[in-house]
Amino acid sequence: METVLISPKKKAVIAGSRPTVLIGERINPTGKKKLTAALQAGDMDIVRQEALDQVKAGADVLDVNAGVPGADEAALLKEMVQVVSATMDVPLCIDSNSPDALKAALAVYKGKPLVNSVNGEEQSLSRILPLVKEYGAAVVGLTMDEAGIPDTADKRLSIAVRIVERAEKLGIPREDIVIDCLTLTVGADSKAGLVTLETVRRVKQELGTNMTLGAGNVSFGLPDRSLLNGIFLAMVIAAGVTCPIVDVAKVRSAVLAADLVLGRDDYASRYIQDFRGRQRNQTA
Amino acid sequence: METVLISPKKKAVIAGSRPTVLIGERINPTGKKKLTAALQAGDMDIVRQEALDQVKAGADVLDVNAGVPGADEAALLKEMVQVVSATMDVPLCIDSNSPDALKAALAVYKGKPLVNSVNGEEQSLSRILPLVKEYGAAVVGLTMDEAGIPDTADKRLSIAVRIVERAEKLGIPREDIVIDCLTLTVGADSKAGLVTLETVRRVKQELGTNMTLGAGNVSFGLPDRSLLNGIFLAMVIAAGVTCPIVDVAKVRSAVLAADLVLGRDDYASRYIQDFRGRQRNQTA
């Protein structure tokens, strides 16, 4: 199944048979004091720099989130989407749970973005999905609802099924739905990674959709997070995740290694190019 | 399913619910000029040093192979097993395809070793399995036969089934059979890793046995092999490999990360201990 995202001159094709598509997570003020302060002051320099740096590091798609306390999210998200689009020509992942903010951003975006996100709550389904349909976008479906994030793969899968059914009923094709099986840190619950992995396997088997994942959550509060994130990414990519949301500079080499051993990098060309780049950086 | 290996005072318990058991691969002269020359001269110093170093690096079991050109393999393997047993008290994996060499080593080993290996060839099945039964050992079953290493998961699985059936018929319980799904380098065949991964999934599902894998073969001829090996190990461990044969010092951190995200390291205690050890080594 192929999900195609489009920017003015480029596209990103997400599919299990292709190299993993990396969604850059860094244009998001959550937990980032400097970016939060800049956005509150209307300063877009960090946003531009992060767009540039992430694409240079290998991001195929950029997530854009405007969740700043006290800001007019609709106006800010719209401006950020315009700024990022003007800086780098890659498809965007427009990140908000506010229908108003999403509508404002979708109205100005030139291309086919990924809307991040809808979830299993009735209010989310009934307000976000019509927007996705109206603007011909693709959408991330989070496997959570009114009751929070379920602690079993069965329950997460059933929410994914509900989202797909509701979207298809509105005429959104399955290939435009990207399921996020969600992960919590194994630092708090040793079974957190297993539940995610099992959900990914089940969604692949039962729904066959593309899948994203904010894989970095798995290591929250633990040391050497890049190692844990890379190892967990390898497992979830092997199980069916096709477009994780990540800190691209930190995990791209691990993802390229995963693509290579999964037969998605003929002649190891992407892997070897990345290796040479790392060698140059070390000697520079 | 639990496979229990025993040395004079220790045991290694291999099971999917437990931390991954690491079999140290380095006491093997194949491709090692220095070790080959030492063994030809009857010098056991490198063997002792490798036993010590690998256990210090975290090996739970040590593979011992005496494949030296021109040597009397039975006499050499017997001596090496005695030397390694006298040096480090961990269970051994006695590595030869010669029934005579295996018999000589099994006769002197005090404990329950892993015999490495039997394969699907009639000659191997009929000569190795009776020895395994006679000495009450566990055995590695390679998914290859007269025709070589099959290029599909289906065919490798059918060889694994054949080995398990023949062993069970002789009274060797399934928990004493450890299947090796084999891997070739993705440098020569981009689908090599995928076939292995698919075979591991099928063996887990259909036979439920423990599994080993010389995972390092996947990266032969490619740069940054430790990265590739760690990533591939993460995938195969998530799929069912429970006791890989590896260069322990190079991949243990990746395996501990895999165990942690798979819920096999409560309170992240093994992972954090390893992380602190690496920090000390960096500052030392």
Side-chain angles (χ1 to χ4, degrees):
Chain A
M1 198 169 301
E2 286 194 356
T3 306
V4 182
L5 306 179
I6 304 172
S7 66
K9 290 182 189 160
K10 282 196 183 160
K11 62 180 183 175
V13 182
I14 305 165
S17 57
R18 290 170 172 263
T20 301
V21 166
L22 297 177
I23 304 177
E25 71 181 12
R26 294 185 55 85
I27 304 177
N28 184 335
T30 313
K32 294 201 184 80
K33 283 185 190 171
K34 220 171 138 186
L35 178 55
T36 299
L39 291 175
Q40 282 170 332
D43 177 354
M44 291 286 155
D45 284 354
I46 300 180
V47 169
R48 282 188 198 91
Q49 192 63 49
E50 286 288 6
L52 192 75
D53 290 349
Q54 289 184 100
V55 172
K56 202 175 157 195
D60 303 294
V61 175
L62 293 175
D63 188 83
V64 180
N65 178 301
V68 172
D72 173 348
E73 192 186 348
L76 184 56
L77 186 62
K78 176 179 152 184
E79 186 185 356
M80 287 170 72
V81 161
Q82 289 174 312
V83 164
V84 174
S85 290
T87 306
M88 299 307 300
D89 185 31
V90 296
L92 301 190
C93 177
I94 303 178
D95 186 355
S96 170
N97 50 25
S98 154
D100 292 341
L102 288 173
K103 191 174 173 62
L106 284 165
V108 297
Y109 186 70
K110 294 184 179 66
K112 179 183 173 188
L114 184 59
V115 168
N116 185 8
S117 56
V118 68
N119 64 52
E121 290 185 60
E122 182 50 41
Q123 189 179 321
S124 175
L125 292 165
S126 63
R127 297 191 62 190
I128 307 285
L129 290 179
L131 278 176
V132 171
K133 172 66 183 167
E134 179 184 351
Y135 289 95
V139 64
V140 172
L142 306 184
T143 55
M144 60 181 288
D145 61 14
E146 293 85 347
I149 301 175
D151 59 2
T152 68
D154 261 357
K155 288 183 195 159
R156 290 191 202 178
L157 173 65
S158 75
I159 296 174
V161 169
R162 191 192 315 163
I163 292 170
V164 166
E165 284 174 355
R166 285 289 290 269
E168 288 185 333
K169 201 180 279 183
L170 277 180
I172 299 168
R174 188 174 298 201
E175 60 260 32
D176 282 340
I177 306 163
V178 174
I179 297 297
D180 184 337
C181 297
L182 300 172
T183 193
L184 301 169
T185 174
V186 291
D189 172 7
S190 65
K191 303 295 177 200
L194 270 181
V195 173
T196 302
L197 195 57
E198 180 61 19
T199 311
V200 170
R201 287 178 184 141
R202 299 281 303 279
V203 167
K204 183 177 177 182
Q205 199 169 28
E206 315 262 334
L207 293 171
T209 61
N210 279 302
M211 280 178 266
T212 185
L213 189 71
N217 290 336
V218 81
S219 64
F220 193 77
L222 290 162
D224 201 352
R225 294 187 65 183
S226 291
L227 173 63
L228 282 169
N229 294 347
I231 290 294
F232 189 58
L233 273 167
M235 293 179 184
V236 296
I237 288 171
V241 167
T242 45
C243 54
I245 301 190
V246 293
D247 192 336
V248 178
K250 289 187 182 157
V251 300
R252 184 163 184 262
S253 297
V255 171
L256 288 176
D259 280 347
L260 174 53
V261 298
L262 290 172
R264 301 175 189 173
D265 183 7
D266 286 340
Y267 309 105
S269 56
R270 301 175 87 234
Y271 178 78
I272 289 171
Q273 188 175 29
D274 173 70
F275 172 74
R276 289 188 181 143
R278 282 186 281 141
Q279 276 194 314
R280 275 195 300 274
N281 288 343
Q282 273 170 8
T283 56
Chain B
M1 198 169 301
E2 286 193 356
T3 305
V4 182
L5 306 180
I6 304 173
S7 65
K9 291 182 187 160
K10 282 195 182 161
K11 62 179 182 176
V13 182
I14 305 165
S17 57
R18 289 169 172 263
T20 302
V21 166
L22 297 177
I23 303 177
E25 71 181 11
R26 295 184 53 86
I27 305 178
N28 184 335
T30 312
K32 293 199 184 83
K33 283 185 190 171
K34 220 171 137 185
L35 179 55
T36 299
L39 292 175
Q40 283 170 330
D43 176 356
M44 291 286 154
D45 283 353
I46 300 179
V47 169
R48 283 188 198 91
Q49 192 63 49
E50 286 288 6
L52 192 75
D53 290 347
Q54 289 186 98
V55 172
K56 201 175 158 196
D60 303 293
V61 174
L62 294 174
D63 187 83
V64 180
N65 178 301
V68 173
D72 174 349
E73 192 187 348
L76 184 57
L77 187 63
K78 176 180 152 184
E79 186 184 356
M80 287 170 71
V81 161
Q82 289 174 312
V83 164
V84 174
S85 290
T87 308
M88 299 306 299
D89 185 29
V90 296
L92 301 190
C93 176
I94 302 178
D95 186 356
S96 171
N97 51 25
S98 154
D100 291 341
L102 288 173
K103 190 174 175 63
L106 285 165
V108 298
Y109 186 68
K110 294 184 178 64
K112 179 184 173 188
L114 184 59
V115 168
N116 186 8
S117 56
V118 69
N119 64 53
E121 290 185 61
E122 181 51 40
Q123 189 178 320
S124 175
L125 293 165
S126 63
R127 298 190 64 189
I128 307 286
L129 290 179
L131 278 176
V132 171
K133 172 65 183 167
E134 180 183 350
Y135 289 95
V139 63
V140 171
L142 306 184
T143 56
M144 60 182 288
D145 62 13
E146 293 85 347
I149 301 176
D151 58 2
T152 67
D154 261 357
K155 289 183 195 160
R156 290 192 202 178
L157 174 65
S158 74
I159 296 174
V161 170
R162 191 192 315 163
I163 292 170
V164 167
E165 284 175 354
R166 285 289 288 269
E168 289 185 334
K169 202 180 280 183
L170 277 180
I172 299 168
R174 189 175 298 202
E175 59 260 32
D176 283 341
I177 306 163
V178 175
I179 297 296
D180 184 336
C181 296
L182 300 171
T183 193
L184 300 169
T185 174
V186 290
D189 172 7
S190 64
K191 302 296 177 200
L194 270 181
V195 173
T196 302
L197 195 57
E198 181 60 19
T199 310
V200 169
R201 287 177 182 141
R202 299 280 304 279
V203 167
K204 183 178 177 183
Q205 199 169 27
E206 315 261 334
L207 293 171
T209 60
N210 278 302
M211 280 178 268
T212 185
L213 190 70
N217 290 337
V218 82
S219 64
F220 193 79
L222 290 162
D224 201 352
R225 295 187 64 183
S226 290
L227 172 63
L228 282 169
N229 293 348
I231 290 296
F232 190 59
L233 274 166
M235 293 179 184
V236 296
I237 288 171
V241 167
T242 45
C243 53
I245 301 190
V246 293
D247 192 336
V248 178
K250 289 189 181 155
V251 300
R252 185 163 184 261
S253 297
V255 171
L256 289 176
D259 281 347
L260 174 53
V261 298
L262 290 172
R264 301 175 189 172
D265 183 6
D266 287 341
Y267 309 106
S269 56
R270 302 174 86 234
Y271 177 78
I272 289 170
Q273 189 176 30
D274 174 70
F275 171 74
R276 289 188 181 143
R278 283 187 282 141
Q279 276 193 314
R280 274 194 303 272
N281 288 343
Q282 274 170 6
T283 55

